[in-house]
Amino acid sequence: MPPSRLPTHPPSSLRALLLLLAGLALLFTGCAPALVPGGVPSAEEVPPLEDRVRAHPGDTDARLRLGAGYLALDQPADALAVLEPVGDDPSRPVAHFLMGNALEAEDRYAEAREAYTRYLEVSGNGEFRGRVEGRLALVRRRELAADVRTSLARETELADAPADPDAVAVFPFVYDGADPQYQPLGRALAEMIVTDLARVDRIRVLERLRVQLLLDELALAEEERVDPGSAARSGRLLGAGRVVQGRIDGDEALLSILAGLVATEEGAQMASVNDGDALDAFFDLQKRIVLSLFETMGVQLTPAEREQVMERPTENLRALLLYGQGLEAQDQGDFPGAADLFRTAAEEDPGFEEAAEQAELSAEMGGHMDVSPGGFAMEAFDEFGLGPPAPPTLETIQATVRPVEFLVPGPELRDPGADFLGTEGVGLGFPTVEILLRRPR
């Protein structure tokens, strides 16, 4: 009977070496390139990253971290320069987010809005989505405010430019009733008309916020807001061919609504729609007003469009009043207060989806008001880990290697003779574990 061939086992020194090599293999395959620390780099770590990007322009992780480092140092122009080549990489949506931060810091609000929107389109990070949507709404508000200021500075030029005949601006209605608790109906009614007019794609309805920002800049008194001359001027500044303005009067027994449709070209006449009903029938009254506006504009609704226009976001008058108060608080920049009012409106009518959406959006906007673009980027890295993966720690390597540690036999199974002769594992049996390492490129 031939002598048995017993495999020898690695000594403790070789066993430690194997574990070390396994850890190194994980390190080389699972971490970011050298000189790229985890998270946002400190000011001291930025120069090595700059060297890394110069030497390896295609190192995406280095570019992302360097861009984040520039934002932390309030250098948005440098951040844009290093991040732009990453923008076309669909696997790196965080590049769009960081570019949005940098563009916002440069007051390039339209481009920042596009970058944030692109991030939302390509990113699957649902947990962070609400935060970005809140930031996007704030950027949009700042973009509209900048547009309004530009329009006012170019008023003489815009006065001679033809307005879009299909564009309609809706002013908040002036409340002239005796009971101040119903004053929020002015903004709420305007918002409902904006929503209904926007159901028809043959009309381009301007955002309520854009109109409100212009009125705030012009600082028009309530009587001026229902003046056709003021409406025509405002419409030309907004690029709208027509303006809807009006007033609400009366009491609970009979509420009257006068809606005027003003064409903004020189010498145009105002067409008016006048209707009234009991306060309890306000929602029926609102629909009759908007249908009359369509008729006055010469827009014939299809059956499908009419069905959509007749939909009601709520039929709860108290919820609608709270919603109008929320819009007023939002216009004044009181986003936490607006969020509370919208939230209460949604509680009053759980089916009032617009109120719930505005509550969430206002709360997010309130959380962004005092946060700089760079600060928002730093929060994102800290709270949501939007950056590239950080290099694994020693504890991470040990935890990863531990499940395979049993494959390397301990001293109780070794052959002392082989250890002494230094012939362990040479030409005897078959290896249990074979580790191949390639030099990193």
Side-chain angles (χ1 to χ4, degrees):
M1 183 175 181
S4 60
R5 301 178 58 188
L6 298 175
T8 60
H9 302 283
S12 57
S13 58
L14 182 57
R15 178 170 179 264
L17 177 61
L18 288 172
L19 290 175
L20 175 62
L21 292 177
L24 289 173
L26 290 169
L27 183 63
F28 283 125
T29 59
C31 74
L35 300 180
V36 181
V40 179
S42 65
E44 294 75 18
E45 293 167 322
V46 165
L49 276 174
E50 292 174 328
D51 294 339
R52 176 72 186 183
V53 169
R54 278 191 290 267
H56 303 277
D59 190 333
T60 300
D61 286 356
R63 283 186 176 275
L64 288 174
R65 285 215 164 84
L66 182 55
Y70 283 144
L71 284 172
L73 294 173
D74 195 22
Q75 299 174 216
D78 292 331
L80 282 173
V82 78
L83 289 168
E84 282 175 350
V86 189
D88 295 330
D89 186 349
S91 68
R92 291 289 193 262
V94 69
H96 298 290
F97 169 76
L98 292 174
M99 288 174 67
N101 293 146
L103 289 163
E104 184 187 352
E106 294 265 279
D107 294 338
R108 295 161 61 178
Y109 297 119
E111 295 169 270
R113 173 175 52 82
E114 292 174 1
Y116 284 133
T117 300
R118 181 61 179 153
Y119 171 76
L120 291 174
E121 290 173 349
V122 301
S123 174
N125 192 334
E127 184 181 5
F128 190 57
R129 189 175 188 87
R131 295 289 301 279
V132 179
E133 288 174 344
R135 192 75 189 187
L136 182 58
L138 189 63
V139 168
R140 179 59 176 160
R141 183 184 184 88
R142 290 169 176 168
E143 177 190 0
L144 291 176
D147 288 348
V148 164
R149 289 191 292 270
T150 300
S151 296
L152 284 170
R154 298 173 55 228
E155 182 170 4
T156 303
E157 177 185 346
L158 293 174
D160 298 328
D164 182 354
D166 296 326
V168 180
V170 181
F171 282 16
F173 279 56
V174 174
Y175 176 74
D176 284 337
D179 194 337
Q181 69 171 316
Y182 299 122
Q183 184 176 352
L185 285 177
R187 274 182 170 81
L189 176 59
E191 178 72 357
M192 295 172 78
I193 292 175
V194 165
T195 300
D196 289 341
L197 293 180
R199 304 283 192 185
V200 179
D201 58 12
R202 300 184 296 285
I203 298 175
R204 184 172 68 86
V205 187
L206 273 61
E207 294 175 69
R208 188 196 67 84
L209 178 58
R210 180 189 290 272
V211 175
Q212 186 63 51
L213 288 169
L214 175 65
L215 296 179
D216 290 343
E217 284 287 333
L218 293 174
L220 297 178
E222 287 191 344
E223 284 304 316
E224 292 176 301
R225 291 190 180 191
V226 292
D227 175 68
S230 297
R233 178 196 175 196
S234 301
R236 287 192 294 271
L237 286 168
L238 293 165
R242 287 173 285 193
V243 172
V244 176
Q245 59 174 188
R247 66 174 72 244
I248 303 173
D249 202 351
D251 52 26
E252 292 185 11
L254 179 60
L255 195 72
S256 299
I257 297 178
L258 172 65
L261 185 66
V262 181
T264 58
E265 65 264 21
E266 192 70 30
Q269 299 297 312
M270 180 181 76
S272 61
V273 174
N274 194 359
D275 202 346
D277 212 327
L279 181 63
D280 289 344
F282 174 81
F283 296 99
D284 293 331
L285 175 60
Q286 185 271 327
K287 292 304 178 187
R288 293 201 303 270
I289 290 290
V290 80
L291 289 175
S292 296
L293 287 172
F294 277 121
E295 184 178 352
T296 304
M297 287 187 284
V299 177
Q300 186 173 358
L301 300 177
T302 66
E305 288 171 341
R306 185 183 180 89
E307 182 179 354
Q308 286 186 322
V309 168
M310 297 306 290
E311 292 178 359
R312 301 180 182 186
T314 182
E315 294 190 50
N316 186 313
L317 186 61
R318 173 167 166 73
L320 185 66
L321 289 170
L322 287 163
Y323 187 79
Q325 287 180 279
L327 292 175
E328 184 174 3
Q330 206 177 59
D331 292 340
Q332 294 172 352
D334 180 10
F335 299 114
D340 289 340
L341 289 162
F342 288 132
R343 195 175 297 114
T344 306
E347 291 170 356
E348 186 75 24
D349 178 5
F352 197 175
E353 295 180 2
E354 287 86 345
E357 292 170 359
Q358 286 290 348
E360 184 176 348
L361 190 61
S362 294
E364 287 291 351
M365 291 174 69
H368 286 286
M369 283 298 294
D370 297 324
V371 180
S372 68
F376 181 38
M378 299 310 103
E379 285 183 5
F381 272 78
D382 291 342
E383 297 177 27
F384 297 92
L386 295 184
T393 63
L394 177 60
E395 290 77 11
T396 303
I397 295 173
Q398 289 174 337
T400 307
V401 171
R402 195 167 293 120
V404 299
E405 189 174 354
F406 74 94
L407 295 174
V408 183
E412 70 278 0
L413 297 178
R414 296 203 308 271
D415 183 347
D419 280 357
F420 179 76
L421 295 173
T423 59
E424 63 274 6
V426 179
L428 300 174
F430 298 96
T432 305
V433 177
E434 182 177 6
I435 299 176
L436 298 178
L437 291 178
R438 292 185 179 179
R439 179 178 300 172
R441 295 179 180 179

